[in-house]
Amino acid sequence: MLTKTLPIFLILSLALISSLSQGDDHAASLESVLKQVTLADFENLGEDALKQDWRAAPEDKPDAGFRFSLENVEREGKPTRDLHLSYIMPGVSANNETAGQVQEIDLVLQLRGLDASDYDHLAFWIKGDSAEDFNKQIEVEFRRPHPTVAGLREEGGSVVGGIDGEWRRVMVPLKEMIGIRDWTNLSELVFALHARDTRIPQGGYFIDDIALIKTGHPGPGADDLVVAWKKKAWEEAFGGETAARPHLKDRLAGWPQQLLIDPATLPTDGREFLRRLALDTWRGIDALTDKAHGLPLDRIHFGNGSVELADARIGDYTGVTNIGFHLLAIVAAHELKLIEREQALERLRLTLAALEQMETYHGFYYNYYNTTTLERTSNFISFVDSSWLTAGLMAARMAFPEIHERCTRLIEQGDYRFFYDDQWKLMSHGYYVNLGLRNNMHYGALYAESRIGSLIAIGKGEAPEEHWFAMARTFPNEFTWQSNQPLNRREKTERGFHWIGGYYQWRDYRYVPSWGGSLFEALMPALVLDEKRYAPANLGRNGEIHTEIQRRYALEELGYPVWGMSPSSMPGSERYTEYGVHILGSLGYPEGAVTPHAAALALLTEPEAASANLRQLAQRYPIYGDFGFYDAVDPKSGVVAYQYLCLNQAMILIALANHLGDHAVQKHFAADPIMQRALPLIGFENFFD
């Protein structure tokens, strides 16, 4: 079986359809070529030389795949020598269909470290072989070795559509081949057909004159910036960014009075310590919010051992996940009796009013907005971020019937079919509005934070139940880059659903891996969904095991006095980076900083150990400030990341509310009709049988 070396959630979709130009458009495109490098010209190429540069994969399927040869044909009335492809598609087995695996056939041109960074388009001629019939679209992609992980590769692809029996000149913008950002050291150019997307199972093509060209007009790209012009004008009215900073601070509901709290002043009683942490954390979440719009600021960074404004950076932007968690944090604060009901409603209504003003696309919010002006600062509509906003709205409408109708309107304005790829049975990462294209990557791993979005989409009736079982529990053994090899990876069938199981093993622990091995991936969904209650033999038990391994690995293998690794700020820096326990992830993030939000998430699974760990963090390191824990610490050096990130602070508070308040937030979320429809789907699977 041929499988990509990328993880399933990075498998390329058929979402990117290249433009095909001919006639006047073709002439214009050729006139604009400033530079060109030929990758393949078959005019003077012999069969032996052809086979040195090209190969077909899989090589072990004599009855399926590409066959290629050189043929003399005519193009635009002139004789030419071209590459002729014949293909036969393999069948898709039930196993591959349910596991989210893809059988594909590839034709591969070796590029041997090519540098394409000075070019902006891939160009080639193509036509279908009318004598053999042909699929009307074919994927073209570049590959390069992953810069840090042996055996893993980066891939960026696009799908060429509208192929017919006439020659067409194809111009594929490299900026649309999402997945590759560094265009050096390219190893392969690939033409591929996927069994799921190929309507004509046997056929052929002619291809010629494959080249990289520079037109000077690369077009829009996934990383294009969106400037908040109103915000810039607001700053200029005060004399620029630095002069506007005090006015930006004045928009906040509060500011910390001191950098650090003496840990000796914290309560000694375990439960009272957690209540104090909840209070301080909530004061910070509430304070670092734009007063006019009720939106949380993404982060505040403090420098030079000071909370003085001159030493601080105010991140006056926010993301969709931040807003969803802000709603959840208000629910949590009310459940913990940190604010009265009317105070909670006042804050919720302010945030909802901002959402009702903000620009959307197909009912979904862009990934980032400026909190001062509500301008969007992103072109991307994210599936997983959208789902966290929906989760926040669901919990809020169940906790506060007074705002039920407003929350419901916002929930119903977006249809998750927008993200669902019916061919792959998976959710796309999202959609680039400036490109008019769906992202070419999928969330295909089940044990990821995105699983909550899948359940929401299913509960809304906007994704089929089979989607839950199309996501991978484990990846195939052929993926040699994995941190471990899956055991007992076999097809399972129950209640009419089919999927592939399997697990990893470390010491005596069996577990389904996440991607990076962080507690963020493992336990973030459990903040709203009580997985121990509703999925005790799969998600719930897996969360407990991930927590146990995180604890034991940090304390026993690394010799840390504290534990809890997850993506967070880098101590001593303003950067945000990924940390995890390598063996818990299919790929596995590197070990490093411990972050209090991961320690707090463990309250959901190992409350006593987590509570002791949080106290140890406060006592050992200068990490507890006026608004609770800062974002991360290096356990070896003691260096702290003096930042408050609104998402991580909200996770701490919500975990505390569930622990101290008898699953308060989880109960509101589970009571929502959307989740009630999805819950029966998750309880019967056993990850470890």
Side-chain angles (χ1 to χ4, degrees), residues 187-202:
S187 57
E188 296 174 340
L189 171 67
V190 181
F191 292 89
L193 289 172
H194 299 276
R196 287 182 175 170
D197 307 300
T198 302
R199 301 294 175 260
I200 308 297
Q202 185 170 346

Side-chain angles (χ1 to χ4, degrees), residues 113-173:
L114 178 72
D115 184 349
S117 56
D118 199 31
Y119 301 91
D120 51 42
H121 282 75
L122 170 70
F124 58 92
W125 289 88
I126 189 170
K127 76 167 185 172
D129 186 346
S130 300
E132 294 193 42
D133 207 353
F134 49 89
N135 201 51
K136 300 302 187 284
Q137 59 186 32
I138 190 170
E139 183 181 335
V140 58
E141 64 184 43
F142 284 102
R143 297 172 178 170
R144 68 188 297 271
H146 192 280
T148 59
V149 182
L152 187 64
R153 64 189 179 219
E154 295 178 346
E155 302 179 1
S158 183
V159 172
V160 176
I163 300 172
D164 57 25
E166 300 297 326
W167 281 107
R168 298 282 185 89
R169 177 71 164 174
V170 178
M171 305 279 286
V172 184

Side-chain angles (χ1 to χ4, degrees), residues 75-98:
R75 188 174 77 231
E76 297 184 324
K78 298 178 182 179
T80 182
R81 188 170 173 82
D82 303 314
L83 181 67
H84 180 251
L85 309 182
S86 294
Y87 71 85
I88 300 176
M89 294 302 302
V92 178
S93 69
N95 285 7
N96 288 327
E97 183 73 19
T98 57

Side-chain angles (χ1 to χ4, degrees), residues 324-336:
F325 268 82
H326 190 68
L327 299 174
L328 291 167
I330 296 171
V331 174
H334 176 255
E335 293 293 338
L336 289 170

Side-chain angles (χ1 to χ4, degrees), residues 578-605:
E578 295 163 333
Y579 300 108
V581 172
H582 183 75
I583 58 169
L584 280 172
S586 297
L587 178 68
Y589 297 146
E591 61 204 36
V594 165
T595 175
H597 84 257
L601 284 171
L603 289 167
L604 302 168
T605 47

Side-chain angles (χ1 to χ4, degrees), residues 243-314:
R245 193 179 301 174
H247 302 278
L248 185 58
K249 179 186 173 185
D250 289 343
R251 293 184 64 91
L252 302 180
W255 192 260
Q257 299 300 305
Q258 54 189 327
L259 185 74
L260 294 172
I261 296 295
D262 182 354
T265 65
L266 296 174
T268 57
D269 176 77
R271 191 171 182 86
E272 288 305 310
F273 167 72
L274 295 180
R275 285 201 60 82
R276 167 66 183 274
L277 173 60
L279 174 60
D280 291 342
T281 303
W282 164 248
R283 288 193 303 106
I285 291 171
D286 197 38
L288 303 179
T289 300
D290 185 276
K291 289 186 295 187
H293 296 135
L295 297 181
L297 273 66
D298 186 82
R299 65 189 63 198
I300 306 291
H301 173 80
F302 302 102
N304 296 325
S306 165
V307 294
E308 293 298 320
L309 180 61
D311 299 319
R313 293 184 184 274
I314 302 175

